[in-house]
Amino acid sequence: MRKKIVVGNWKMNKSFDEGLKLIDEIVKELASQPADNVLKIIAPSFLHLAAASQKLKSLKGFETAAQNCHHIANGAYTGEIAAAMIASTGADYVIIGHSERRLYFGENNALLAQKVNIALANNLTPIFCLGENLEERNAKQHLEAVKQQLKEGLYHLTAADFSRLIIAYEPVWAIGTGVTASIHQAQGMHNYIRSEINKKYGKDISSIIPILYGGSCNAQNAKELFACIDVDGGLIGGASLKAVDFAAIINSFSE
Ligand code: PGA
């Protein structure tokens, strides 16, 4: 049985106080419907990370993630945050390769491979994002695009290290657009990713890697997405900023 996971990616939102309040609201919202079988990961901004980790560490089933890390251990990189610094806050996860990082900050697969390495070296679990853009989807090159991201970002890893990952499939055209991948598109790609991992690392590993769906996932569509056999949960942007919606998504797994 693979883990069921829901990650809330706050992106560049919430003041310090608003962020801590949102965490309290999420915890409160889930008190009556705790979804004990679901791992709940909150990825606030760096500003909130230490305080969020402190707040959540005593609560069962909650974890925190950073949204990014630098690819070098430490040094004169003004404004950057190292994996070791993230680990020192108590966070155990880090999102790597989000399409906004790839698009707006020019992060390519080679750089992301280094970020994955430094995250793993610091005992952080990478939540590695991949997904095709609209052009690639329209040109029917989506499988190839995702395969390349897998290959160049992750296939340098040993089997032991690869088995520590969480993967998030996020079609770029679905992120923040209100357009969600259909069940058919989501399950099709998740199944493809799993079969590619199977080819490279074998069934023991491909069958345990959680693959999350991201892209306009919300309280209305989460249930049918999470019911797909190869969809193990979601990476949630916009809908993770409202406690009621986020809790509803967490409670969307069918038994
Ligand atoms: P969205 O973002 O849920 O707002 O589409 C998802 C993500 O970017 O992780």
Side-chain angles (χ1 to χ4, degrees):
M1 258 297 252
R2 286 187 295 276
K3 269 190 219 158
K4 298 178 189 342
I5 303 171
V6 175
V7 185
N9 173 13
W10 290 5
K11 308 192 180 184
M12 195 173 72
N13 290 294
K14 301 290 173 191
S15 70
F16 186 69
D17 286 349
E18 286 167 354
L20 297 195
K21 188 163 159 248
L22 177 56
I23 289 177
D24 288 342
E25 287 169 0
I26 292 168
V27 170
K28 196 165 150 218
E29 203 58 45
L30 287 165
S32 56
Q33 37 172 4
D36 288 329
N37 57 336
V38 182
L39 174 60
K40 303 162 256 297
I41 304 178
I42 295 181
S45 75
F46 283 126
L47 182 72
H48 304 99
L49 198 56
S53 301
Q54 290 304 313
K55 250 184 193 300
L56 293 172
K57 81 170 175 220
S58 57
L59 295 173
K60 217 175 126 259
F62 283 95
E63 296 285 352
T64 43
Q67 297 175 17
N68 178 35
C69 69
H70 197 261
H71 61 287
I72 289 172
N74 64 281
Y77 298 97
T78 301
E80 290 296 321
I81 308 274
M85 293 159 64
I86 293 167
S88 77
T89 68
D92 285 324
Y93 296 79
V94 57
I95 297 173
I96 292 177
H98 190 281
S99 68
E100 287 149 16
R101 302 290 320 170
R102 293 175 186 262
L103 189 64
Y104 304 136
F105 301 94
E107 298 191 359
N108 60 24
N109 292 327
L111 178 81
L112 298 175
Q114 292 183 57
K115 292 193 179 205
V116 168
N117 293 346
I118 199 118
L120 289 170
N122 284 280
N123 284 324
L124 295 172
T125 299
I127 302 169
F128 188 82
C129 303
L130 37 71
E132 80 284 359
N133 61 31
L134 188 58
E135 248 175 26
E136 290 162 335
R137 169 66 65 169
N138 287 340
K140 299 201 177 1
Q141 281 167 0
H142 47 291
L143 299 181
E144 210 37 59
V146 164
K147 185 176 177 170
Q148 192 167 346
Q149 290 170 339
L150 267 176
K151 217 157 107 183
E152 295 179 3
L154 299 176
Y155 281 5
H156 64 286
L157 295 174
T158 62
D161 278 344
F162 194 94
S163 68
R164 295 164 62 194
L165 303 176
I166 295 172
I167 289 180
Y169 167 58
E170 299 205 299
V172 179
W173 46 270
I175 297 176
T177 58
V179 180
T180 317
S182 68
I183 303 309
H184 180 73
Q185 288 168 326
Q187 169 55 25
M189 183 60 93
H190 282 232
N191 180 266
Y192 173 75
I193 292 169
R194 208 177 293 291
S195 68
E196 283 301 308
I197 296 172
N198 184 17
K199 272 195 226 159
K200 170 75 180 166
Y201 290 102
K203 194 155 180 5
D204 286 355
I205 289 181
S206 69
S207 62
I208 59 158
I209 296 289
I211 306 179
L212 313 182
Y213 170 79
S216 298
C217 183
N218 57 37
Q220 284 71 47
N221 59 31
K223 203 176 177 66
E224 55 176 11
L225 284 162
F226 295 177
C228 297
I229 186 99
D230 286 299
V231 177
D232 304 308
L235 176 52
I236 317 299
S240 73
L241 296 170
K242 287 206 187 101
V244 176
D245 290 358
F246 191 55
I249 293 170
I250 288 166
N251 275 286
S252 294
F253 289 96
S254 39
E255 289 312 314

